[in-house]
Amino acid sequence: LLGGLVEPTIGSIRLDGEELAGRPARLRQRVRMVVADERSFFWRLSVRENLRFFATLEGRSGADRDRMVQVCLEEVSLAERAAEPFRTLSTGMRQRLAIARGLLGEPEVLLLDEATRSLDPDSASEVRELLRGVCARAKGRTLVWSSHDLDEVESFCSDVIVLARGQVMLQAPIEP
């Protein structure tokens, strides 16, 4: 629902008091999904060309699009790899590119689905630090981290919500 993939049949979607259900364009402006699915990128295109493609789909063009792409590449430390084909990237770098795609349009909320799936421990740590620093604190973004790895959730998140069969079973801050 928060990612805009389906509309609620009952209830609402509110962000800072604004109703977003039934307003997919506004929801997409404010919330972006980061999905680590390699098949959603073009393997022959460069890192930059992939981001330019997705920015174009969002209606960006020209200097505005290219500026946004460059900012996103810098945010995820891929600017030096921008000319390389996607197929040459490591799994960790591909995840960084997925995060960069999520940052297009400067959303307030990033919805991360298993953000460190398939990453080795060092790459997973780098992705968590990237998200903690550049993407969250510096920009004032909220990160919603969907994961089955409770140890990772405990080490990364400030609050936790446990869902079961569509019901909130637990909602609490994580104590340090």
Side-chain angles (χ1 to χ4, degrees):
L1 294 171
L2 187 58
L5 299 176
V6 295
E7 287 282 327
T9 54
I10 60 170
S12 62
I13 301 171
R14 292 189 181 281
L15 184 56
D16 294 330
E18 181 182 1
E19 176 58 50
L20 298 172
R23 301 177 60 205
R26 183 66 177 139
L27 179 63
R28 183 154 170 75
Q29 282 179 337
R30 298 190 69 190
V31 180
R32 294 292 173 94
M33 288 184 64
V34 174
V35 180
D37 186 355
E38 297 171 352
R39 292 173 289 175
S40 64
F41 288 101
F42 296 92
W43 285 60
R44 292 182 184 181
L45 295 182
S46 72
V47 168
R48 175 175 279 110
E49 289 168 334
N50 265 287
L51 284 185
R52 288 182 78 204
F53 171 79
F54 288 107
T56 300
L57 285 179
E58 295 178 7
R60 304 287 180 137
S61 62
D64 175 54
R65 176 198 58 213
D66 293 342
R67 177 202 57 79
M68 178 185 293
V69 165
Q70 186 62 30
V71 167
C72 291
L73 288 170
E74 289 170 7
E75 279 193 284
V76 299
S77 301
L78 280 179
E80 292 181 12
R81 310 289 299 262
E84 294 182 27
F86 175 82
R87 70 177 176 273
T88 66
L89 299 179
S90 68
T91 304
M93 287 182 204
R94 289 174 181 176
Q95 181 61 14
R96 286 175 181 264
L97 185 58
I99 293 166
R101 180 177 55 194
L103 294 172
L104 291 171
E106 302 173 335
E108 300 163 54
V109 177
L110 279 181
L111 177 58
L112 301 138
D113 183 27
E114 302 287 352
T116 58
R117 178 180 58 96
S118 302
L119 298 181
D120 63 69
D122 288 340
S123 294
S125 179
E126 288 175 12
V127 165
R128 284 190 299 272
E129 284 308 308
L130 169 74
L131 290 166
R132 247 186 219 110
V134 175
C135 296
R137 279 194 305 269
K139 300 291 183 180
R141 290 187 182 101
T142 297
L143 305 181
V144 177
W145 192 282
S146 173
S147 179
H148 293 88
D149 184 342
L150 296 182
D151 290 332
E152 182 171 68
V153 169
E154 186 175 35
S155 72
F156 185 82
C157 300
S158 61
D159 295 271
V160 66
I161 298 172
V162 177
L163 300 173
R165 294 177 300 282
Q167 299 296 313
V168 174
M169 304 307 287
L170 170 71
Q171 182 172 357
I174 294 178
E175 303 209 6

